[in-house]
Every structure is written in C-alpha cells, then in structure tokens.
Amino acid sequence: QVQLVESGGGVVQPGRSLRLSCAASGFDFSSHVMHWVRQAPGKGLEWVAVISTDGKYEYYADSVKGRFNISRDNSKNTLSLQVKTLRTEDSAVYYCAKGRFNWNFFENWGQGTLLTVSS
Amino acid sequence: DIQMTQSPSSLSASVGDRVTITCRASQGINNYLAWYQQKPGNVPTLLIYAASRLQSGVPSRFSGSGSGTEFTLTISSLQPEDIATYYCQKYNSAPITFGQGTRLEIK
C-alpha cells in the first residue's frame, strides 16, 4: 500500500533553515507529481509547492517563493523541502502528498511533520 | 490568483439529514475541483475529484457536482462518522488553492 513518511520537523529559530524529507513506498514514485501542503495549528490547509515527475518543473505558493525549494530523488523514492529564512508564520504541520500521475489533487497524504519556528 | 470560497463556514445537522456544502471559484476552473474530509486529529482524505468522481472506497452517500465556478458537496444521509472539516481544492493550474473549510457538527 502507499506509504508517505515525513521527517525533519522540529523547533527552529526565525531566520534559520531546515530540510524536510518524505520517504515514499508502495507505488511507482517517478510516475506521480508530488506536493507539500501545510496546516498551521487550528487552521486550514495551505498548498506549498509541487514538483513534476521528472523534477524539471516546480511551482510555489507566493508565501514561500524564494525561500523554499522542493526537490525529488526518483532513484531513492524521496521528496524533500528545503526551507530557508524561516518565519514564525511558517509554523505548521507539513504534509507530503501524492498526486494522481500528473493530476494535482492529493490522493494520498503522509502523517505530517511539525515545524515550529520560535525564538 | 483564483480564490476558493466555501459556505457555510460551519454547519450543524442531524443524523440522517441531507447536507450540502458550496464552493465558489473566483474564475472558471472547468471541473478541476476536489473535496477532502479531515476528521479531528487526522490527516485529510480525498473524497471527490474532477468535481463529481467518487474516490475509491468513499461511501456512496457522498457526491459532488458543478462546473465552472460553482460546486457542491452533498452528503445524502448524514452519519455520526461524517463529523469533520471539509475542504474544496482547485487544481487546474498553479497556484493550487483550498477553500477555507466547512466544519460539520452533529446536532
């Protein structure tokens, strides 16, 4: 079955950087677009970034553009999110989500990793 | 950017009721609309994609309709396990956006 397991969250000071990872299994990773979606405590869902199947194309929410970088390694079935210049408003649970092939709706979600930005 | 607006923001209904949630797009998105359910403390799950296609394993009491700018999610007969927050999401192009969510409670 499809498994998405995020890691890398924690407590980080404002302005610092961190790398979030997602280990994927149970499906042909290289055939599906992959996304990061976040949810601040008690708030709604916010899409963060998407990467194409071959890693050539990336798109970002305006709120993270220039600070976050999504990448994937199809040989290792892993998705990453490099987060830089962190702000308190970046505090959230970050979910790795699988699209259906090239369709950008989320048919599988990981359990999420909590990132808290605080001094 | 296209904005997605859900109504109502919260809803209280009785078991067995027919429940309808509306999602409006600020511009036309054809049928590139998905619905998700997030139960308290849980990860979101996909209910509907392409506005009206039921995801495998989702109970048939859930249905979706609409195209262009107006969409609805309907629960034909509300069950206690349907207590959750529901989100619509447009996916025709980046940026992908969600509605603000509709919290559904049992009366």
Side-chain angles (χ1 to χ4, degrees):
Chain A
Q1 74 280 20
V2 172
Q3 279 202 307
L4 300 168
V5 180
E6 302 93 337
S7 61
V11 180
V12 182
Q13 291 180 328
R16 302 297 291 265
S17 301
L18 200 67
R19 188 177 192 89
L20 307 180
S21 297
C22 172
S25 61
F27 65 102
D28 182 6
F29 182 74
S30 64
S31 294
H32 295 263
V33 294
M34 295 297 296
H35 298 256
W36 288 97
V37 178
R38 68 184 181 183
Q39 186 170 35
K43 302 296 186 183
L45 300 170
E46 180 186 17
W47 172 78
V48 173
V50 59
I51 188 166
S52 61
T53 55
D54 58 6
K56 288 184 179 178
Y57 302 101
E58 308 158 19
Y59 297 95
Y60 298 89
D62 286 346
S63 58
V64 307
K65 204 172 292 183
R67 300 188 300 120
F68 288 16
N69 179 248
I70 189 172
S71 61
R72 66 189 296 161
D73 185 337
N74 287 345
S75 68
K76 296 181 179 178
N77 291 355
T78 58
L79 176 73
S80 297
L81 185 69
Q82 179 72 41
V83 298
K84 303 175 186 176
T85 321
L86 282 164
R87 306 168 180 167
T88 54
E89 56 264 36
D90 294 320
S91 297
V93 174
Y94 284 74
Y95 296 106
C96 164
K98 166 181 163 285
R100 178 172 295 181
F101 299 108
N102 285 311
W103 296 109
N104 291 304
F105 58 87
F106 315 120
E107 60 178 357
N108 300 95
W109 300 65
Q111 289 300 307
T113 187
L114 176 61
L115 173 61
T116 302
V117 183
S118 174
S119 54
Chain B
D1 295 347
I2 298 174
Q3 307 302 316
M4 306 301 293
T5 304
Q6 285 181 235
S7 60
S9 296
S10 63
L11 175 59
S12 182
S14 300
V15 172
D17 281 355
R18 183 180 182 88
V19 171
T20 298
I21 298 169
T22 298
C23 179
R24 289 187 173 88
S26 59
Q27 297 175 40
I29 57 170
N30 291 312
N31 68 337
Y32 293 98
L33 193 283
W35 290 96
Y36 300 87
Q37 177 191 63
Q38 186 175 30
K39 296 183 178 181
N42 283 12
V43 175
T45 59
L46 176 66
L47 295 175
I48 302 277
Y49 63 96
S52 61
R53 297 196 175 188
L54 198 66
Q55 171 69 349
S56 176
V58 174
S60 59
R61 64 180 178 276
F62 291 92
S63 65
S65 65
S67 184
T69 61
E70 186 150 339
F71 304 86
T72 59
L73 172 70
T74 299
I75 307 173
S76 61
S77 178
L78 186 65
Q79 300 301 303
E81 60 266 31
D82 299 335
I83 297 312
T85 300
Y86 293 84
Y87 296 92
C88 63
Q89 174 231 339
K90 72 95 174 170
Y91 59 92
N92 60 317
S93 61
I96 291 164
T97 49
F98 290 93
Q100 79 277 19
T102 295
R103 178 176 287 183
L104 177 57
E105 299 174 340
I106 295 285
K107 241 184 232 180

